[in-house]
Structures are given as C-alpha cells and as structure tokens.
Amino acid sequence: MQFNQEGISQRGDQVIQDKPQNSQDDFNSQSFLKKKTIGEVSSSVQKRLAEREKNNLKGHLFLEPKWNNSFHLEDPTVGIVAIIALIVYFFCFQFGYLENNKEKLIFGGFAFFLYIMDCCTNGVAGYLQNKVTVKELQSYLNEIKQMKFELSFDVSSYHYESRRHYDSKSKRYVTSEVKITTYREKFNYPVGQSIDETEDSTVFFEKAKYFRIHNFITYSFGDEQSARYYDDMIKYAKDQSKIRDIKQTEEEIQNCVGLKTTLLACQDGVKQDPMLSMTVYIIYCAVGLSLLYRVLLNRRVCFLEHCIHKRVIMDINKVNPEVYQIELARQSIQNEQIIQNNQEIILKQQQQLLENDQNGILKQNQQPINYDNPQEPSVELPPNQ
C-alpha cells in the first residue's frame, strides 16, 4: 500500500506548490527535508541551526580563525558567570563579608562547581580528547556513512500538586508545588534504511594545519510513505499524551550510533602544537583561565561545521499497528471518495452520450427547406378505374 500525499502535514518542510506528485517518479525527496541536531547541545546551537534551516542553508560551513568563531556553538555565559562568582567569593572572603565557615563553604562550593562544570562542558575538552590526523579523519567520515541512524519521539504527561511538609530550617510547615509525571512513552520510528548523502568535505582539509570539526545531523525522507508515517506517528503520540493528563512535553530524538560530535584534526606530518593538548588546558583551568584558553584556541584554529545528511526510508514490517490504523482509515475514506468521484464521472459521461444521441435523432428528423428551388408536395392520384 502506498501512502497518498494529499493532506500530508508538512511540519516545517519545503513544499512544491501547485505541482501534483502522483507517482514515485514525480516525487521530490527534498520536499520532506528536515534538519535536526544530535546530542545535547546548547540553546545557541539550536538557534543557529534553526536559522540555517529557515534560510535553507545546507552542507558544510568553514570559518577562518577568529576570537569567537565557536562561541555560537558553545555559549560562554556559564563560564563568565562562574568567573564572576569566583571573583566575588575571593573578594568577600578577603574582606570578611562571609562570617562563618558554613557560608564560606557553601558560597565557595557553588562558585567552584559552576567553574568546573563550564570547563568540562564548554566543548574544548571534547575537541582535545578526539584529536585525529586528516588521514584518520577521512577514514572516520567513511565510518559515519555506515552508522545506524535512529529517530524517535518522546512524549510525557504531567500535572502539579501542592504538597505540605515540615521545613526543619524555618521550623514550620510549608506548601510547595510538586511535578507529578503520569505518563511517558517513547515512539521509535521504524528506520529500514538510511542512505548517506553527505556532501564531500575534503576540499576543506587543505585549508589549514589544524581545524576543529562539529558534526551535526540533518535528515530527509526517501519517499512520501516514510514521511507520511512519521507525521502519523507524531500525531498519535500527541493524542495519547493529551488524554492522559493536563500538561504535556514532547521531544524529537535523533541519534547516529557511535557519532563523535567534536573532533580536532591536523595535517599528516605536521609538528604538534603544544598548546593543543589536554595537559595545557587543565593548567589553564587550574589557574582560572579557561575562558582565555577558548579565545586563544579560536584565534589559532579554523572551524568546520560538518553537516551529515541521512535519507531515511521506513521499514513497513516494523511499523506500529496502532499508528498504521490512521493510514488505513485515511486510505478507506479516500477509496470511497475515489469510487464516488468515478461514479459521478460515469453518470456525467452517460448523460452526455444520451444528450448527443437525442441531438442526433432530432437532426435526422429535421428536413431543411430549399428556398431557391421550392418543391411542391407530391400528391398520389388514385389509379384509373
């Protein structure tokens, strides 16, 4: 059974207007283009990729060394707040604004925790841990083409309840709002085949000695059947969550099994830069200069935003039967509509044929009058007796 394109919900996809796509030959897979990111990334990444999707920018992006050419991916806000918190802590500690050891421990621990969290999550550690040569990079990019692509949709339902409990610090009962999750389910898309259509990136490999690579995923559907089932799956998931509780959350999850999102590549045979090592980075972090290290890294190393494109085709044997019922119902309604339309066409054709036959009979019965040579009507005389 082939899914029909009529009525497809184009969720942020490009649509070819006024162009029917009734056959597989006429189908354009780019009309179902979707771009998503992989892994846990900052809101600045989501904003940037959303802007690229809005402007229909596909493929790779190469940036020359700048002081901030990766801050659009890893937001420095946490690092700046952590450094400010540490400065404030040392100032208060030096001038005696913190009265007891408990306050010193709490405030200092909080500032130190923010700083350590930024050092571990700002993206630099990921680049330095995944250092490769260009030859190894080319081999890894070939591995990416064979990686299994996974796509799912996670929904949950919840509500808030007021809970009353005793606060030992204030020595009184207090009321707080507690989130109660009543339903959560993950709907897996039945990926049958994922074809890698990533553009060639080797043209960038000779532009610099070192360059940082950020891998992210974009995917499109290989046919309208695959795209139609995906929209049906999301609709079914949302309907299930709405009937379970008052509030809902939803999340689309993409994953390419084994993908490294950050890489630091260098040319083969190039002498290693001592600065591009984990040891040097740890030293910078230990003296409170992690943000300075990021600035220096951005000024010394190029950046490549590497877009991995997977074309997804569903496996009809692994579909969710409950989701598939939506298409069966839709197909039944459409078949009835087709039958009704065909009957109307047949009736119109029969009526037209009947009108043509009647017009033909009328024309045969009509005798044209020749006014140039009028003829007297012939009268038969009786025979002579």
Side-chain angles (χ1 to χ4, degrees):
M1 178 184 296
Q2 289 294 327
F3 282 45
N4 297 289
Q5 183 160 353
E6 182 180 357
I8 290 180
S9 174
Q10 300 288 352
R11 301 174 56 255
D13 303 338
Q14 304 172 16
V15 183
I16 299 178
Q17 300 291 343
D18 302 327
K19 182 179 179 181
Q21 297 176 347
N22 299 323
S23 66
Q24 186 69 18
D25 295 336
D26 296 332
F27 176 71
N28 180 9
S29 62
Q30 292 302 319
S31 63
F32 294 97
L33 183 64
K34 295 177 181 290
K35 294 182 178 181
K36 301 296 176 182
T37 58
I38 276 200
E40 296 182 0
V41 291
S42 64
S43 59
S44 57
V45 183
Q46 300 285 7
K47 185 184 298 184
R48 176 174 177 80
L49 295 180
E51 187 66 24
R52 291 193 67 190
E53 180 176 359
K54 179 181 178 181
N55 297 329
N56 193 25
L57 299 177
K58 294 174 283 187
H60 316 303
L61 178 65
F62 180 83
L63 297 176
E64 296 291 343
K66 291 173 60 179
W67 76 271
N68 64 343
N69 66 357
S70 71
F71 288 161
H72 63 277
L73 290 173
E74 296 90 16
D75 197 337
T77 304
V78 177
I80 294 174
V81 171
I83 292 176
I84 294 175
L86 286 174
I87 293 174
V88 172
Y89 170 74
F90 286 119
F91 178 82
C92 295
F93 182 84
Q94 183 69 26
F95 291 93
Y97 290 102
L98 301 176
E99 297 180 355
N100 53 57
N101 293 331
K102 185 177 181 181
E103 291 181 353
K104 295 177 182 179
L105 183 62
I106 293 175
F107 192 88
F110 175 73
F112 185 73
F113 172 77
L114 283 179
Y115 181 72
I116 295 298
M117 183 179 68
D118 175 71
C119 293
C120 297
T121 61
N122 60 19
V124 174
Y127 290 118
L128 298 178
Q129 289 176 348
N130 298 322
K131 291 200 305 183
V132 294
T133 64
V134 170
K135 184 177 180 181
E136 293 172 339
L137 175 62
Q138 291 174 334
S139 177
Y140 182 70
L141 294 180
N142 290 330
E143 293 179 12
I144 292 178
K145 296 180 179 181
Q146 308 301 325
M147 287 181 179
K148 182 181 178 182
F149 179 72
E150 297 176 342
L151 179 62
S152 60
F153 194 74
D154 194 355
V155 294
S156 62
S157 302
Y158 65 96
H159 66 275
Y160 288 98
E161 293 183 0
S162 298
R163 297 289 178 87
R164 185 177 177 82
H165 65 279
Y166 183 78
D167 187 0
S168 58
K169 186 176 181 179
S170 59
K171 295 183 180 180
R172 62 186 179 88
Y173 284 94
V174 296
T175 302
S176 60
E177 295 288 331
V178 181
K179 181 180 178 180
I180 306 297
T181 301
T182 55
Y183 170 76
R184 183 169 186 174
E185 189 170 357
K186 184 177 181 180
F187 294 84
N188 296 314
Y189 184 85
V191 178
Q193 185 180 11
S194 60
I195 304 171
D196 189 270
E197 294 188 350
T198 304
E199 297 179 5
D200 185 24
S201 59
T202 56
V203 65
F204 302 106
F205 295 164
E206 302 297 330
K207 289 183 175 291
K209 292 182 179 180
Y210 301 94
F211 48 94
R212 291 169 294 118
I213 302 173
H214 175 76
N215 293 312
F216 76 95
I217 288 287
T218 179
Y219 70 92
S220 60
F221 292 115
D223 52 45
E224 55 184 315
Q225 180 182 18
S226 302
R228 189 57 176 266
Y229 178 84
Y230 181 79
D231 288 333
D232 287 343
M233 185 184 76
I234 291 180
K235 180 180 182 302
Y236 178 80
K238 289 182 177 180
D239 291 342
Q240 291 297 308
S241 63
K242 287 180 181 179
I243 63 177
R244 303 303 177 93
D245 215 326
I246 301 174
K247 298 180 179 294
Q248 293 81 32
T249 60
E250 58 189 51
E251 181 184 8
E252 186 184 53
I253 305 172
Q254 309 79 213
N255 184 33
C256 221
V257 180
L259 179 67
K260 298 177 182 178
T261 56
T262 55
L263 295 169
L264 178 61
C266 61
Q267 295 294 339
D268 298 274
V270 173
K271 184 179 179 180
Q272 295 290 328
D273 189 339
M275 184 179 176
L276 303 179
S277 65
M278 184 62 70
T279 303
V280 174
Y281 176 61
I282 292 175
I283 294 174
Y284 270 80
C285 293
V287 296
L289 299 177
S290 64
L291 189 61
L292 176 62
Y293 184 91
R294 292 181 63 181
V295 173
L296 296 177
L297 180 67
N298 293 344
R299 290 181 61 88
R300 295 165 70 98
V301 181
C302 297
F303 174 76
L304 175 62
E305 192 176 67
H306 188 254
C307 174
I308 302 169
H309 181 196
K310 297 287 185 178
R311 186 159 60 91
V312 182
I313 300 175
M314 66 177 289
D315 186 351
I316 193 66
N317 298 316
K318 297 181 181 179
V319 299
N320 187 324
E322 295 177 335
V323 177
Y324 198 66
Q325 290 299 321
I326 300 176
E327 172 59 25
L328 294 179
R330 185 190 299 112
Q331 188 72 27
S332 177
I333 294 174
Q334 188 170 18
N335 288 339
E336 293 178 359
Q337 184 66 37
I338 292 174
I339 293 174
Q340 183 178 355
N341 292 340
N342 291 338
Q343 290 176 347
E344 292 178 357
I345 293 174
I346 293 173
L347 290 176
K348 289 181 180 179
Q349 291 176 347
Q350 292 178 346
Q351 184 178 2
Q352 186 66 34
L353 290 174
L354 181 60
E355 292 177 355
N356 292 339
D357 291 342
Q358 292 176 350
N359 292 335
I361 294 174
L362 291 175
K363 289 180 179 180
Q364 291 178 3
N365 294 334
Q366 291 177 354
Q367 295 294 333
I369 301 175
N370 192 342
Y371 292 97
D372 295 331
N373 299 305
Q375 296 180 0
E376 294 294 334
S378 60
V379 178
E380 293 185 0
L381 297 176
N384 294 330
Q385 297 295 330

